[in-house]
Amino acid sequence: MNNRFFITDSKIKWIFLIPSVLLLLFILIYPLIFSLRLSFSEWKAGSDMVFVGFENYKDLFTDKLFYTALKNTFIFVILATLFELIFGFILALILNREIGKIRNIFRICLILPMMLTPVVVGVTWRMLFNPQYGLVNFFLNITGFQWISNPKIAIFSLIITDIWEWTPFMFIIILAGLQSIPDYLYESASIDGAGTIHVHKYITLPLIMPTILLAVIIRSMDAIKVYDIVYTLTYGGPGSSTEVISWYIYRQGFTYWKMGYAAAASYIMLILIAVLVMLFLKYTNKFLKIS
Amino acid sequence: MKIFKKVIFIFIFTIFLGMYLLPLYWIFITAFKIEGEVLASPPIFLPIKFTLDSFKYIFLSRSMFLFLKNSLIISFFSVILSMVLGCFAAFSLAKFKFKKGINNFISNWILSTKFMPPIIIVLPVFFLFKYLGILDTRLCLIIAYTSFNLPFIIWMMKGYFSEIPSDIEEAGLIDGCGKLGVFFRIIIPLSLPGIAASGIFSFILSWNEFIFALILTSSRSTTLPVFISQFITDRGLLWGQISAASFIALIPVVIFAIFSQKYIVRGLTAGAVKG
């Protein structure tokens, strides 16, 4: 059978696979190894890489700005994901039954913000947040409220922008989950005389939980990486009030050229994300087994 | 009671749509406003006079055309390259048997690249490309974008290929097609909608990408998002021109989003839903 083909089965599958694997090794894996070495070294422009052991990591853990960046990232991720979930869930519940006819128009309008260039989203909201002629102050009927230049408010402006951009994502995923719940469950519940709150508590919530967990994992992992809207909306300021972890690494690396230091911070970020992903997956698996 | 519900529904619906369409409308209208009306307070929602001054300025004085060209070339070639490599790899993973662990290992690897923050990759890649002497060329962004589109495309296409029943392939083999013939004459034509959808999705991802473009390119070969971000740092008050540039950057995104809306949800959740 095999000699009918000019390349045998076992070779062709590797020939097809290997170019992709090589490219990914070259761009995604080799850099990580290089970066690990860099994180244990000091490297100044024009000189060789000098091995310094855990010096970079030690400096990092005594740097107040690094803790600020971690804190801001956590505030951002938790608040943004939480509000996106709440708004998305409420909207999906309200619109679940009614959405039939207008679904297509609605879907286009909701998918647009997720596809927009994040840089443009940041720029647009910078315009909307402007204290004198921005639309936000105009609609709230207040003049001169500083959204971006007030250090206490700036991170919340960032969160509002992210909520605007990504609530539709939560909404669409949760709506898909809601619509996969079979109608007969609701019918039998209403025959048994269950009220709205009971129906949601005992039917909707348990059945929708896996979907919600999934959406939360995807969103929070994306939110940790936030960078584009920080660059265009607040530029990390005022002061260090919107200093998030990606921004911190960027500044240390490409503004102050402390490459070893930036690589060390990258590795801390990587470990944090890996731990979070593992916790999420472990929790999700446990939960899915129970339900 | 029913009317009451309907009114609430329409009310929420309108507010929600307004919140999303108004900012888009605002970019659009600001791009065409005359200079005095851009900074007007209270804001002007329906300007009477329109002008193309902002567009003229960004194309003639800020060489917008170069960046538009860069963006188009880089996104286009990275999509083509990653599509070709990715389809072959996905075919191999979907239709051939590997040793037990390999399929799972590669799938998990792809999952993990989805969680990888770009800022962590871009730092060492900067030195790699500096060493190769290709910093600030279109080539370096094409290579970078191809490699981060690739895991996504392999994942998506693997799903589409697995859905094709193996009866069809066997029929092809019996008729004397050969493995390559099966791939080019049966698998590829049958999964064209999937190919189009993942192609469009990765085009949008490349088009929107910012960190890699910001760090790996500076002047000659940089893309539209970097161009727009430069506006805001050096001359923060030229909203007309920023809006005009943003408006142009959004055109392909909006067109593609409308045409491929059905597939985009699948794309957004790719890598998280095992499939």
Side-chain angles (χ1 to χ4, degrees):
Chain A
M1 186 73 182
N2 254 346
N3 52 14
R4 280 183 57 201
F5 310 120
F6 58 92
I7 305 177
T8 54
D9 197 7
S10 62
K11 269 182 199 158
I12 200 171
K13 66 181 179 196
W14 288 110
I15 293 172
F16 278 9
L17 189 61
I18 274 171
S20 300
V21 173
L22 283 183
L23 184 69
L24 289 178
L25 281 176
F26 177 64
I27 296 288
L28 296 178
I29 304 301
Y30 165 74
L32 274 186
I33 297 164
F34 178 79
S35 179
L36 184 64
R37 195 174 135 223
L38 193 58
S39 75
F40 291 104
S41 329
E42 194 176 41
W43 197 16
K44 281 179 184 142
S47 60
D48 287 335
M49 221 189 271
V50 186
F51 184 78
V52 291
F54 281 94
E55 207 60 37
N56 286 325
Y57 289 95
K58 237 186 258 165
D59 287 352
L60 204 58
F61 284 118
T62 50
D63 187 354
K64 265 189 189 157
L65 194 59
F66 182 63
Y67 288 107
T68 313
L70 282 180
K71 193 189 84 194
N72 285 339
T73 310
F74 276 115
I75 293 174
F76 178 83
V77 170
I78 290 170
L79 286 184
T81 314
L82 183 69
F83 280 102
E84 282 155 21
L85 177 65
I86 293 173
F87 291 148
F89 193 52
I90 293 174
L91 279 168
L93 272 186
I94 294 171
L95 300 181
N96 184 22
R97 302 277 141 198
E98 317 259 353
I99 202 151
K101 289 173 206 160
I102 38 166
R103 175 184 285 156
N104 278 339
I105 314 168
F106 205 55
R107 200 201 253 153
I108 291 172
C109 297
L110 285 180
I111 271 173
L112 268 177
M114 292 184 263
M115 295 287 102
L116 297 182
T117 315
V119 168
V120 173
V121 172
V123 166
T124 309
W125 277 88
R126 198 179 175 126
M127 188 153 67
L128 299 179
F129 276 138
N130 190 290
Q132 275 93 44
Y133 46 83
L135 285 191
V136 175
N137 278 356
F138 173 76
F139 280 116
L140 295 177
N141 214 357
I142 40 179
T143 39
F145 186 78
Q146 301 282 349
W147 288 93
I148 293 164
S149 9
N150 184 341
K152 281 183 186 141
I153 305 293
I155 183 105
F156 297 104
S157 308
L158 215 58
I159 292 170
I160 291 172
T161 309
D162 196 76
I163 293 174
W164 180 83
E165 198 180 353
W166 290 104
T167 296
F169 172 78
M170 285 285 191
F171 169 76
I172 286 175
I173 291 196
I174 293 172
L175 186 69
L178 282 179
Q179 298 200 320
S180 68
I181 299 176
D183 277 339
Y184 65 81
L185 287 179
Y186 289 111
E187 280 156 19
S188 62
S190 74
I191 289 168
D192 292 347
T196 319
I197 294 171
H198 276 95
V199 166
H200 286 319
K201 193 176 166 194
Y202 293 109
I203 297 176
T204 314
L205 215 53
L207 285 173
I208 202 76
M209 214 52 193
T211 316
I212 287 182
L213 278 173
L214 174 72
V216 166
I217 292 174
I218 301 177
R219 250 331 281 153
S220 51
M221 288 305 128
D222 264 357
I224 286 181
K225 303 179 207 165
V226 64
Y227 178 83
D228 302 16
I229 59 170
V230 177
Y231 191 100
T232 45
L233 190 70
T234 62
Y235 208 70
S240 59
S241 59
T242 52
E243 184 103 24
V244 290
I245 186 87
S246 289
W247 182 256
Y248 179 80
I249 296 171
Y250 170 75
R251 297 278 283 178
Q252 297 300 327
F254 293 97
T255 309
Y256 309 124
W257 293 99
K258 286 163 39 182
M259 285 300 170
Y261 196 67
S266 301
Y267 260 86
I268 303 282
M269 185 186 187
L270 202 61
I271 291 166
L272 270 177
I273 288 178
V275 169
L276 280 179
V277 171
M278 274 191 281
L279 280 179
F280 263 132
L281 290 181
K282 198 178 163 193
Y283 180 71
T284 316
N285 284 341
K286 222 187 217 168
F287 183 84
L288 292 181
K289 264 176 211 152
I290 294 166
S291 66
Chain B
M1 192 63 192
K2 216 171 181 186
I3 297 169
F4 179 67
K5 253 187 172 172
K6 207 99 191 162
V7 169
I8 285 189
F9 167 70
I10 291 171
F11 182 68
I12 292 172
F13 183 74
T14 327
I15 286 187
F16 198 60
L17 277 194
M19 267 175 60
Y20 281 95
L21 294 181
L22 199 64
L24 291 177
Y25 172 73
W26 201 245
I27 301 177
F28 173 74
I29 211 75
T30 309
F32 291 99
K33 272 182 185 171
I34 56 169
E35 204 164 339
E37 290 188 342
V38 169
L39 303 184
S41 173
I44 296 166
F45 286 92
L46 288 168
I48 302 159
K49 282 183 201 157
F50 290 98
T51 168
L52 286 174
D53 282 355
S54 306
F55 289 94
K56 257 185 223 157
Y57 178 80
I58 55 170
F59 273 104
L60 297 178
S61 319
R62 298 286 302 246
S63 55
M64 168 86 176
F65 189 71
L66 173 70
F67 303 116
L68 187 61
K69 202 172 79 184
N70 284 341
S71 262
L72 281 173
I73 289 176
I74 291 167
S75 308
F76 180 75
F77 280 105
S78 68
V79 169
I80 296 290
L81 207 63
S82 48
M83 224 47 227
V84 171
L85 291 175
C87 279
F88 278 123
F91 177 61
S92 171
L93 284 174
K95 295 293 182 187
F96 290 94
K97 266 186 193 153
F98 284 89
K99 273 180 202 155
K100 236 185 175 180
I102 289 186
N103 250 308
N104 239 338
F105 175 74
I106 291 179
S107 301
N108 285 338
W109 186 29
I110 290 166
L111 193 81
S112 69
T113 58
K114 175 145 172 104
F115 291 137
M116 188 83 80
I119 189 80
I120 292 178
I121 298 293
V122 76
L123 189 96
V125 163
F126 175 79
F127 289 106
L128 182 68
F129 285 173
K130 199 177 172 190
Y131 176 73
L132 295 173
I134 54 171
L135 274 186
D136 201 14
T137 59
R138 285 177 197 143
L139 179 69
C140 79
L141 281 189
I142 292 176
I143 295 175
Y145 290 2
T146 303
S147 65
F148 74 62
N149 279 337
L150 202 53
F152 168 76
I153 284 177
I154 294 177
W155 192 279
M156 293 278 282
M157 292 321 296
K158 203 183 122 201
Y160 283 108
F161 289 163
S162 312
E163 280 166 18
I164 297 172
S166 48
D167 301 357
I168 302 180
E169 294 149 38
E170 279 160 20
L173 284 177
I174 290 165
D175 290 345
C177 238
K179 299 272 185 216
L180 278 176
V182 167
F183 179 61
F184 284 113
R185 294 185 189 182
I186 297 174
I187 305 275
I188 293 286
L190 277 178
S191 39
L192 273 183
I195 290 176
S198 22
I200 285 175
F201 198 82
S202 27
F203 184 91
I204 293 179
L205 286 184
S206 314
W207 183 265
N208 288 347
E209 207 286 328
F210 179 60
I211 298 188
F212 276 82
L214 179 73
I215 291 170
L216 299 181
T217 61
S218 55
S219 52
R220 284 177 297 125
S221 46
T222 204
T223 56
L224 277 183
V226 180
F227 174 66
I228 293 169
S229 77
Q230 279 165 356
F231 262 107
I232 209 142
T233 46
D234 51 17
R235 307 176 80 174
L237 288 171
L238 298 170
W239 293 114
Q241 277 121 49
I242 297 172
S243 303
S246 303
F247 176 67
I248 290 172
L250 292 186
I251 292 173
V253 177
V254 172
I255 292 173
F256 280 153
I258 289 170
F259 281 116
S260 61
Q261 32 140 342
K262 265 190 212 163
Y263 302 99
I264 280 174
V265 179
R266 188 169 177 171
L268 284 168
T269 52
V273 193
K274 290 213 170 189

